[in-house]
Structure formats: structure tokens, C-alpha cells
Amino acid sequence: MHVFADTVTYHGFWGSFWDIIWWFITIFVFFAYLMALFSVIIDLFRDRKLNGWWKALWIIFLIFVPFLTVLVYLIARGGGMAERSASQAKQAQSATDDYIRQVAGASPSEEIAKAKALLDAGTITQAEYETIKAKALG
């Protein structure tokens, strides 16, 4: 029996269009799984109602049976995940708004009104009033 060396061809890693598509799908599924895994871990530590022992048990299962544990967690506690995530986003937005209000200070109209009151009281001159007004408007 004679086997020709050229009958079996090897196209390499990028040999076929479908091989490339398969690799992209595999990589996508892997990263989607990692995102779900990290979402579950973050949610475990965000949940204040869950006891520390239950958190430890979930982490142990995530280490030894990761894919199944992620699926069970998403099915059993998925609704709570959404609520906790929305609550945290709301708190972060509120903190950001408070910080912006604190840093921004008074509005331009308030600054001009204060400067006008100082001008009327004779505390500042007309030139200083115009400078404050230009700075508030600009």
C-alpha cells in the first residue's frame, strides 16, 4: 500500500474560514462566561442579606463546579442581582450629583446678585462688580 505525501494537506491555524469563525465563537463564549462569573462574584459580595457562610459556600462551588454554579446562581438569584445593581447605580449617581453640586458652587445669577448686593452696600467698586459679572458669565 502506497500513501502519497501530498494527499493530506494541512492548512494551518488560519486554514479555513469556518475555523476562524469557530475560534471567534469560542472566544466570545469564553469571555461571556468570564463576565457572568465576575458578575456573580461581585453580586455575592454586594448582597447584604446573604450570610457569610452562604457566600463562602457559593465561592467554593464556583471554584469546583464553576459553569453549573454560575447557571444555578443566575437562575436562583438573578432578579436580586438586577435589584442590587440598580440600587448601587442609583447610589453612585446620587453621590456624583451631590459632589457636582458641592464643587460647582453658586450659579452665575446668584454670583451676580451677591456682587450687586456688595456694590449697593459700597463694599466693592463698579469696576470690581463688572469683573465679577464678566467672570460669572464667562
Side-chain angles (χ1 to χ4, degrees), residues 79-116:
M81 283 180 73
E83 292 169 4
R84 285 183 289 278
S85 179
S87 172
Q88 177 138 4
K90 192 179 208 179
Q91 289 175 353
Q93 183 65 41
S94 174
T96 301
D97 291 344
D98 291 343
Y99 176 74
I100 290 171
R101 278 191 218 100
Q102 176 189 4
V103 172
S107 68
S109 60
E110 291 173 347
E111 289 184 33
I112 293 171
K114 288 178 186 177
K116 180 66 173 157

Side-chain angles (χ1 to χ4, degrees), residues 4 16 25 48 65 70 80 98 102 118 126-127:
F4 295 104
S16 154
I25 290 171
R48 297 180 195 277
V65 193
V70 168
D98 291 343
Q102 176 189 4
L118 290 174
Q126 182 67 32

Side-chain angles (χ1 to χ4, degrees), residues 33 40 58 62 65-77:
Y33 167 72
V40 166
W58 276 109
L62 280 172
V65 193
F67 187 74
L68 182 63
T69 305
V70 168
L71 285 177
V72 169
Y73 190 89
L74 291 175
I75 292 168
R77 300 179 49 88

Side-chain angles (χ1 to χ4, degrees), residues 11-105:
H11 297 287
F13 181 75
W14 300 105
S16 154
F17 173 74
W18 295 112
D19 289 341
I20 295 170
I21 297 298
W22 177 251
W23 277 103
F24 277 120
I25 290 171
T26 304
I27 290 170
F28 172 78
V29 168
F30 177 71
F31 280 111
Y33 167 72
L34 284 180
M35 289 179 63
L37 178 70
F38 289 124
S39 294
V40 166
I41 292 171
I42 289 169
D43 186 65
L44 273 172
F45 289 105
R46 183 183 293 159
D47 189 3
R48 297 180 195 277
K49 295 177 186 174
L50 196 61
N51 186 346
W53 289 105
W54 282 108
K55 289 179 184 182
L57 188 64
W58 276 109
I59 293 294
I60 289 169
F61 276 107
L62 280 172
I63 291 170
F64 291 110
V65 193
F67 187 74
L68 182 63
T69 305
V70 168
L71 285 177
V72 169
Y73 190 89
L74 291 175
I75 292 168
R77 300 179 49 88
M81 283 180 73
E83 292 169 4
R84 285 183 289 278
S85 179
S87 172
Q88 177 138 4
K90 192 179 208 179
Q91 289 175 353
Q93 183 65 41
S94 174
T96 301
D97 291 344
D98 291 343
Y99 176 74
I100 290 171
R101 278 191 218 100
Q102 176 189 4
V103 172

